[in-house]
Amino acid sequence: MSLPLAQQVRLAVAPLLHAAGEGVRELPGTVGGLPGADPVRYLPVKPEVVVEIEVDQERLEFGRYRHRPRVRRVRGDLKPELVDEAQ
């Protein structure tokens, strides 16, 4: 989960996304950091788009970043199968 997308990024990425056919799903309410918060609903998409993100720490902590990443731009020059998630 990322911070809300800037309008320019939202307009660039929206037409590139395709539903994964699983219907709406929910993340537990603790995703936002507050126990008891409402669940976050989302529509899974196929992993076909690569985006560049900005994070506030160099390494993952317990399998995640301390704060949500910011999506900077669509990377049309990269294919998902060529990206190492550890980068």
Side-chain angles (χ1 to χ4, degrees):
M1 178 181 284
S2 72
L3 291 168
L5 303 181
Q7 183 176 2
Q8 180 180 355
V9 175
R10 195 170 48 246
L11 293 173
V13 76
L16 304 175
L17 300 177
H18 300 96
E22 299 175 15
V24 175
R25 298 181 66 189
E26 289 186 351
L27 294 173
T30 57
V31 170
L34 299 173
D38 291 336
V40 175
R41 294 178 183 190
Y42 69 100
L43 180 64
V45 295
K46 295 178 183 176
E48 303 171 322
V49 179
V50 176
V51 295
E52 181 177 312
I53 63 170
E54 177 183 327
V55 296
D56 64 351
Q57 64 192 81
E58 189 174 319
R59 296 189 178 158
L60 294 176
E61 214 172 76
F62 305 108
R64 59 179 271 181
Y65 291 110
R66 182 175 301 153
H67 300 102
R68 294 184 289 173
R70 179 178 309 280
V71 177
R72 286 298 188 192
R73 64 185 175 122
V74 174
R75 291 293 307 264
D77 59 322
L78 297 175
K79 300 237 181 261
E81 58 272 7
L82 300 177
V83 176
D84 176 4
E85 288 185 29
Q87 293 178 344

